[in-house]
Amino acid sequence: MKKITAFLLLVCLTVASSSFAQHILKSSTLYQGEVFTTDYIFIRSDAKGLEKDWKTYLSKTGSVSDDKDLLTVKVNSSNISRDLKTIISYIVDHKEFSAVHVILLDENGRSLANNQVNPEALERLLYDFYDLAYYNEELRMANTDLELAEKLHDNAEKSKSRAERALAANLRSQEKYGKKLTESPEKLAEIIKDKNEVYQQILQRDVNVADSTETEPDELDKEFSKQEKKIIKTRNLEEKNADRLKKAEDQFEGLTDELLAARVELEKATQVFESKKVVIQDLKKK
């Protein structure tokens, strides 16, 4: 902090409480090169998380101007003191916790004396904010907890979607290879028929070479060989399709189990996620 260098000269506990953060402390601090009195409390929260809440909270006291890390409040009226005209405030970040400081000034820019300050009103200013900050911090933590539950829910939902897609793909494969196997006998019969026709032409050629067609003799042999290869290829493909169908059928039960398990996990994750939402709703009612 450029404008303020806080150093502790005297610490006075104003509330007899065993809670660390429940004490209002008083010390001296440097502000614009002069020594002023500051009242402050420690809050277990990072400064960044407090700054916005603190500025909003102070706006109830008067108009707030923000100069980087320094807040200046032009006080309209306050129960803290009839002499209170300006509040200078800043938050010191101590990493594991923060200190919220207020400097109470009169119309001449001087620190208010102890006998000018209503301690109960000052306590309400700082303690009420402590409660608000604690609540907001609790709400932020609950939201973080909710986000984690939401991620678990989303992951469970993605797992269910993957399982559904895998099962759907398996069913499509079974349908595809089952259809191929159903069509295979007809295709094979057609190829065999074509082969027999070529064979009959070869027999005719051998019986009566003079009675030849436009097809050369060697071309008939090639066509016959081609048909034989088609038969072998069709039978091999039929075996492959049968193996693929069996593989898909074997995988079906496992994929079904995975989908059922994914649905159960999603139900559990949804239950947890919804319960976290209720926590947030309950906190907001407080």
Side-chain angles (χ1 to χ4, degrees), residues 67-201:
D67 183 8
K68 295 182 180 178
D69 54 357
L70 191 69
L71 298 177
T72 301
V73 184
K74 295 299 181 182
V75 179
N76 298 324
S77 64
S78 175
N79 293 329
I80 294 175
S81 174
R82 66 176 65 182
D83 300 317
L84 179 60
K85 300 301 178 185
T86 305
I87 297 176
I88 304 298
S89 181
Y90 57 94
I91 298 176
V92 179
D93 191 350
H94 295 288
K95 293 184 179 180
E96 293 183 0
F97 61 93
S98 299
V100 179
H101 288 256
V102 292
I103 303 172
L104 309 178
L105 302 176
D106 61 18
E107 61 182 357
N108 297 315
R110 295 175 301 193
S111 288
L112 297 182
N114 287 340
N115 59 8
Q116 292 178 286
V117 176
N118 179 350
E120 289 80 10
L122 178 60
E123 288 174 5
R124 283 196 300 273
L125 174 74
L126 294 176
Y127 287 162
D128 285 354
F129 177 69
Y130 175 86
D131 291 339
L132 174 65
Y134 182 83
Y135 166 77
N136 287 338
E137 186 67 17
E138 189 176 32
L139 189 59
R140 277 189 284 268
M141 289 187 289
N143 275 308
T144 300
D145 191 35
L146 175 66
E147 289 172 3
L148 176 61
E150 186 176 15
K151 288 180 181 178
L152 293 174
H153 174 270
D154 290 346
N155 289 337
E157 199 165 50
K158 289 176 182 177
S159 295
K160 182 182 79 72
S161 296
R162 284 195 297 269
E164 287 175 340
R165 290 194 298 271
L167 188 61
N170 178 275
L171 290 171
R172 287 195 298 271
S173 294
Q174 290 191 53
E175 182 181 1
K176 173 184 175 182
Y177 297 125
K179 185 178 180 181
K180 286 180 180 294
L181 286 174
T182 302
E183 296 172 348
S184 182
E186 294 182 1
K187 289 184 177 180
L188 186 61
E190 186 178 345
I191 296 171
I192 292 174
K193 180 182 177 182
D194 292 341
K195 175 189 171 184
N196 286 336
E197 289 178 354
V198 175
Y199 183 67
Q200 292 301 322
Q201 292 182 41

Side-chain angles (χ1 to χ4, degrees), residues 206-245:
D206 292 342
V207 171
N208 188 5
V209 177
D211 188 17
S212 61
T213 64
E214 295 180 359
T215 304
E216 295 295 329
D218 60 334
E219 289 183 356
L220 288 173
D221 293 333
K222 290 179 181 179
E223 182 63 24
F224 185 79
S225 177
K226 180 180 178 181
Q227 296 301 326
E228 282 190 322
K229 289 179 180 178
K230 277 187 178 181
I231 292 172
I232 294 172
K233 182 179 179 181
T234 301
R235 285 174 174 167
N236 288 339
L237 186 58
E238 183 179 7
E239 290 180 4
K240 288 181 180 180
N241 287 332
D243 290 340
R244 290 166 179 169
L245 177 59

Side-chain angles (χ1 to χ4, degrees), residues 237-271:
L237 186 58
E238 183 179 7
E239 290 180 4
K240 288 181 180 180
N241 287 332
D243 290 340
R244 290 166 179 169
L245 177 59
K246 185 178 184 305
K247 183 179 179 181
E249 290 173 340
D250 292 342
Q251 291 175 339
F252 179 77
E253 184 176 354
L255 292 172
T256 301
D257 291 341
E258 288 179 11
L259 176 57
L260 293 176
R263 286 176 176 173
V264 171
E265 290 304 311
L266 178 58
E267 289 177 3
K268 294 177 181 178
T270 300
Q271 185 177 350

